[in-house]
Amino acid sequence: MKQLYVGIDLAASPKKYTFLSSITASPLGKSVLNIEFSRLKEDEELIEKTTSISPRIIVIDAPLSLVNVDEKGFRPLDRCALRLGARLLPLKTPGMMQLAMRGTILAKQLAMRGFLVLETHPSSAARILGYRSTVELVKYIAGKELSRGAADAVVAGMVGLLFDKGEVVTCEGDPSLVLPLREARIDVS
């Protein structure tokens, strides 16, 4: 049975486009069979589209909680990700606070529908896997030239597939932040 994963590159405001990717993988997530993406704005659209896909895992490129933020603007799971080589912005600026608030609400709404929702940082994931950017990673893996937002969504979805394969490091939180292991591999059929 094919496995479905959703990656979301969330915009801080519903006035801007959010990219949503749907990744279809072979049984047991051994290889990516198909990648599709959409541009959406409203949370209701994101929830409706995601629900219609019915993925195993949803991975969002945005802070998904505002719990235990320290004086420098980092949560304990951010500190974990920074130790792994992630390059994160602190949750101190108005834009990051707006993104985190939207991400927190969206993650809770999706989790209430029974979905496993995780957080990631696609640019850091791409660097960990040896690529300069998400655009370069998607071009290499899938042969597709995408915008940064679309590529971020695709990489977020791929991190979901890697999570399913046990090829990630998990920074515990509610929800957790996941990044790929350096030796993780994504195959495309």
Side-chain angles (χ1 to χ4, degrees):
M1 179 177 198
K2 294 177 185 173
Q3 305 296 326
L4 297 171
Y5 303 89
V6 162
I8 298 173
D9 178 43
L10 189 65
S13 165
K15 293 178 182 174
K16 295 185 177 181
Y17 280 111
T18 287
F19 289 89
L20 182 146
S21 72
S22 169
I23 296 177
T24 305
S26 62
L28 306 176
K30 292 196 183 278
S31 64
V32 173
L33 302 175
N34 189 42
I35 299 170
E36 296 177 5
F37 69 94
S38 308
R39 291 183 337 157
L40 306 163
K41 287 189 175 183
E42 300 294 329
D43 289 354
E44 296 77 30
E45 291 177 297
L46 291 166
I47 292 167
E48 185 178 308
K49 179 73 173 176
T50 301
T51 302
S52 72
I53 295 167
S54 193
R56 277 180 63 76
I57 300 171
I58 301 164
V59 185
I60 302 175
D61 175 15
L64 303 181
S65 73
L66 286 165
V67 178
N68 297 323
V69 178
D70 66 21
E71 68 284 345
K72 293 190 177 182
F74 293 107
R75 303 163 296 166
L77 63 93
D78 295 325
R79 296 274 179 210
C80 167
L82 289 167
R83 284 191 297 277
L84 295 170
R87 296 181 192 166
L88 306 175
L89 295 173
L91 298 173
K92 291 175 75 171
T93 64
M96 286 302 292
M97 288 296 292
Q98 183 180 12
L99 178 62
M101 286 188 289
R102 186 176 187 203
T104 299
I105 292 166
L106 180 63
K108 284 181 181 175
Q109 290 175 331
L110 291 166
M112 285 183 355
R113 287 167 172 78
F115 295 111
L116 173 58
V117 181
L118 300 169
E119 176 179 333
T120 196
H121 190 254
S123 295
S124 296
R127 279 193 296 281
I128 288 168
L129 292 171
Y131 298 89
R132 290 178 298 189
S133 69
T134 57
V135 172
E136 181 182 279
L137 172 58
V138 171
K139 186 174 181 181
Y140 179 79
I141 296 284
K144 296 184 180 202
E145 187 99 27
L146 300 177
S147 69
R148 182 172 173 236
D152 283 359
V154 169
V155 172
M158 288 180 178
V159 169
L161 184 151
L162 292 172
F163 176 86
D164 228 9
K165 291 170 54 175
E167 296 182 14
V168 298
V169 176
T170 302
C171 296
E172 295 296 334
D174 186 26
S176 296
L177 187 151
V178 293
L179 291 167
L181 295 169
R182 291 196 187 285
E183 61 272 10
R185 291 293 163 250
I186 300 167
D187 298 316
V188 178
S189 295

